[in-house]
Amino acid sequence: MEDILYDCHVAEAMASLEYGEEADYNSRLYRLGVLKKHKVTEAEYDSAMVYYTRHADRLHAIYENLVKRLGDEALALGADANDINSFTVEAGDTANIWTAGNDLVLTTTPPYNYAGMYVEADSSYHRGDRFIFSCDAQFLYQDGLRDALAHIAVRYANDSIATRMMRMSSNTRFNLEVPNTDSLGIKSVRAFVLLMKDRRSSETTVKLLSLKNIRLIRFHPQKKEEKKDNQNGTPTPSPASPAPAAAATSDTVGKPRP
């Protein structure tokens, strides 16, 4: 089943390069080609999906493997590994504090429809820290409404809360940034992605959200240091501006002062 779904999603990605009715036509055509390759009928495929949808833990395990396979294939075909790991720890100033897994798959069945984390600040969090929550999101849907929510909330030392939120309905890379312009201390940070359920669509078709390269980056503020004098360490003054000329009196208008 994993091999069939792998080929189905590769085929779906190929079909998505087109637009409109042609994309829908190619999507079905390519999927039929995959089923023929694996000598499986549509009825058998649909029956298998009914089973796995009712056993969400098994379907979730299959898609965890698929996410890794698709990611490895992308790198093998020339994807930039630096993009995948664009944020790293640098001299303690920047850190990825996301601990819930870099690559995840969500289904519309709880509790597998949620991925998130909550962290209370410790001594490694500084006044003025800002945060960016980012991820590559790809919907793997056969039908139904695509709807997911990405959210980040930061609680500051004065108990005020700053939040950023994004609704997603198509394949995208999202970046949610929470600045800290008031240089407040940090109490806690929460971030999550939630896949919504469309109650009007079929319960027996594939509805998954692949999340790759999940990052929750903490940035320490950069301190602006004054230029110091080489001899005594005091701030170097700015060059003096020339003194303005004295104002002309009524009897010297148009005549320069000596």
Side-chain angles (χ1 to χ4, degrees):
M1 192 63 187
E2 181 181 321
D3 290 337
I4 294 174
L5 290 173
Y6 176 86
D7 287 343
C8 281
H9 291 305
V10 171
E12 182 71 25
M14 293 170 59
S16 67
L17 298 176
E18 307 292 340
Y19 296 93
E21 295 181 358
E22 187 172 358
D24 295 336
Y25 173 80
N26 285 341
S27 178
R28 176 166 173 75
L29 182 65
Y30 294 163
R31 186 161 72 95
L32 290 175
V34 169
L35 297 181
K36 184 177 180 180
K37 169 188 173 182
H38 290 277
K39 299 180 180 179
V40 174
T41 66
E42 278 194 278
E44 290 171 331
Y45 175 80
D46 291 341
S47 177
M49 289 312 305
V50 169
Y51 169 82
Y52 280 106
T53 302
R54 291 174 179 172
H55 297 79
D57 55 336
R58 297 186 180 184
L59 186 62
H60 188 266
I62 287 176
Y63 268 93
E64 283 185 330
N65 292 335
L66 284 181
V67 167
K68 184 178 186 306
R69 287 177 63 180
L70 291 168
D72 291 344
E73 182 71 11
L75 289 175
L77 292 175
D80 189 353
N82 292 327
D83 290 341
I84 293 177
N85 300 291
S86 57
F87 295 112
T88 57
V89 177
E90 296 179 359
D93 292 331
T94 303
N96 179 17
I97 62 173
W98 179 263
T99 58
N102 293 333
D103 301 326
L104 300 171
V105 175
L106 305 184
T107 73
T108 55
T109 303
Y112 304 108
N113 63 335
Y114 173 89
M117 60 164 287
Y118 170 83
V119 59
E120 293 186 357
D122 56 23
S123 59
S124 65
Y125 290 73
H126 298 175
R127 294 172 61 88
D129 279 356
R130 60 191 181 95
F131 300 85
I132 294 180
F133 183 36
S134 65
C135 180
D136 295 314
Q138 181 180 15
F139 288 90
L140 307 172
Y141 270 50
Q142 286 184 295
D143 63 17
L145 179 65
R146 305 178 182 191
D147 188 16
L149 172 68
H151 184 272
I152 178 174
V154 178
R155 181 184 291 274
Y156 298 113
N158 63 357
D159 284 328
S160 63
I161 299 176
T163 65
R164 294 292 185 273
M165 182 178 69
M166 177 180 178
R167 295 295 287 268
M168 296 177 289
S169 59
S170 61
N171 299 340
T172 185
R173 176 173 181 80
F174 70 80
N175 290 279
L176 302 178
E177 180 174 359
V178 178
N180 192 347
T181 55
D182 294 331
S183 297
L184 298 171
I186 309 296
K187 277 191 173 182
S188 63
V189 182
R190 181 188 301 276
F192 67 83
V193 178
L194 178 66
L195 181 59
M196 309 294 187
K197 187 173 184 178
D198 180 9
R199 300 185 181 278
R200 298 169 296 177
S201 66
S202 171
E203 296 288 338
T204 61
T205 56
V206 176
K207 300 180 185 66
L208 299 168
L209 176 60
S210 168
L211 305 174
K212 294 183 67 64
N213 312 319
I214 309 173
R215 301 287 187 270
L216 178 53
I217 307 301
R218 182 197 64 213
F219 295 92
H220 286 332
Q222 294 183 350
K223 297 180 180 180
K224 297 181 179 179
E225 297 182 355
E226 293 182 305
K227 294 182 179 180
K228 302 296 182 179
D229 182 85
N230 290 335
Q231 295 181 353
N232 55 23
T234 57
T236 302
S238 301
S241 301
T249 59
S250 58
D251 61 341
T252 57
V253 174
K255 299 178 181 180
R257 283 186 180 273

